[in-house]
Amino acid sequence: MSSEIAANLEAVRRNIRAACERSGRDPADVTLIAVSKTKPAAAIEEALEAGAADFGENYVQELTAKIPYFEERGASVRWHMIGHLQKNKVKYLAGRTALIHSVDSVALAEQIEKEAAKKETETDILLEVNVAGEESKWGFTAADVSGAAAEIRALPHVHVLGLMTSAPYTEDPETNRAHFRALSRLAREMADAGLIEPPRDGFRTPVLSMGMSGDYTVAVEEGATIVRVGTSIFGHRDYSDKER
Ligand SMILES: *Cc1c(COP(=O)(O)O)cnc(C)c1O
């Protein structure tokens, strides 16, 4: 059965391959995360059947409701927490995510450390950077993130694998190219300074999680190792029946 989701996934993969070709990169170095927030399990199943393995969610409650559904069916899904995370919700995630992308404070990393230690697990994270200094967005400033990484490095159950950003919403992805390039450079500098861990758990480091439906091809050209694509795979989201 060929579904619209499968066709969309194939189109996104094709665009990623083309962006890699333009920039002399190996497509194997770019992981596509299908962002499934607000979408039902059936949509995730369709994407799984079409070969998707990594899924991104923004809300702890929705994520922890979806995880057991797929565990019970023996489906292997790598879950990525990409939305803003409150400290009091960390306990629900410990040991259940492949990667938490949205760590935006040292205090949050310390809470992840505490819960990971309690569950005798280790947690891979990215540090979120607010590349354009937008008021509406979470994240460290580019100036602060290295200092934060130096503090977080002391936490034995938390591993900083790289950086994540959500660039400004745009109709023209070229307007975000400079942001992506700057984050790429920052991640390399931090890796050289020992502030980002060597490869682990199948992730090449430094991980650079950047690029969404509107701008992922430019992000790939500028070095993204993870792109987070929702709308271009699953269609537009309907928030009308949700309380956020
Ligand atoms: C929703 C979301 C995405 C996906 O956005 P699309 O524009 O639908 O591709 C990616 N990253 C984060 C952090 C998100 O919240």
Side-chain angles (χ1 to χ4, degrees):
M1 188 189 81
S2 75
S3 73
E4 196 177 336
I5 288 172
N8 290 345
L9 261 173
E10 191 38 50
V12 170
R13 290 191 188 114
R14 199 162 46 234
N15 291 338
I16 291 172
R17 282 197 301 272
C20 284
E21 206 155 293
R22 288 194 295 276
S23 50
R25 299 189 60 205
D26 180 351
D29 292 341
V30 182
T31 299
L32 171 60
I33 294 184
V35 177
S36 46
K37 63 180 178 222
T38 80
K39 298 296 177 181
I44 296 174
E45 278 171 333
E46 274 188 48
L48 277 168
E49 272 171 39
D54 291 84
F55 291 83
E57 291 280 342
N58 285 56
Y59 311 102
V60 172
Q61 210 173 334
E62 183 176 349
L63 176 55
T64 54
K66 283 173 173 169
I67 288 173
Y69 177 90
F70 290 95
E71 276 175 357
E72 282 158 21
R73 283 156 184 78
S76 81
V77 180
R78 291 158 51 81
W79 295 104
H80 296 257
M81 175 61 189
I82 64 173
H84 179 61
L85 179 56
Q86 290 167 295
K87 290 206 290 290
N88 62 355
K89 303 260 176 82
V90 169
K91 56 178 175 283
Y92 304 114
L93 288 187
R96 307 181 86 178
T97 53
L99 191 59
I100 299 177
H101 294 228
S102 43
V103 176
D104 57 5
S105 71
V106 173
L108 177 59
E110 287 169 345
Q111 186 67 29
I112 295 170
E113 166 66 27
K114 195 171 134 193
E115 295 296 337
K118 211 189 280 180
K119 291 227 169 68
E120 297 181 353
T121 181
E122 297 182 24
T123 302
D124 293 332
I125 68 168
L126 304 178
L127 301 182
E128 180 168 1
V129 179
N130 186 349
V131 284
E134 291 173 278
E135 294 251 346
S136 60
K137 291 220 171 112
W138 304 94
F140 295 101
T141 64
D144 288 344
V145 70
S146 292
E151 286 185 61
I152 294 168
R153 186 167 52 170
L155 307 174
H157 300 83
V158 172
H159 303 283
V160 176
L161 302 193
L163 303 179
M164 174 270 214
T165 198
S166 296
Y169 176 79
T170 176
E171 300 282 332
D172 173 11
E174 284 299 329
T175 61
N176 282 334
R177 185 180 293 278
H179 292 311
F180 293 142
R181 190 170 293 180
L183 197 72
S184 234
R185 190 184 315 120
L186 180 58
R188 273 197 309 278
E189 287 168 3
M190 287 175 64
D192 289 345
L195 295 170
I196 289 173
E197 301 222 6
R200 51 174 278 129
D201 295 340
F203 292 105
R204 283 168 161 247
T205 61
V207 171
L208 258 184
S209 170
M210 58 186 195
M212 305 170 35
S213 289
D215 56 17
Y216 68 92
T217 56
V218 170
V220 167
E221 289 172 10
E222 295 300 332
T225 68
I226 293 179
V227 293
R228 310 178 310 267
V229 179
T231 308
S232 293
I233 295 172
F234 294 112
H236 285 285
R237 288 177 290 272
D238 179 7
Y239 287 98
S240 58
D241 60 342
K242 308 260 175 180
E243 296 170 35
R244 301 286 177 213

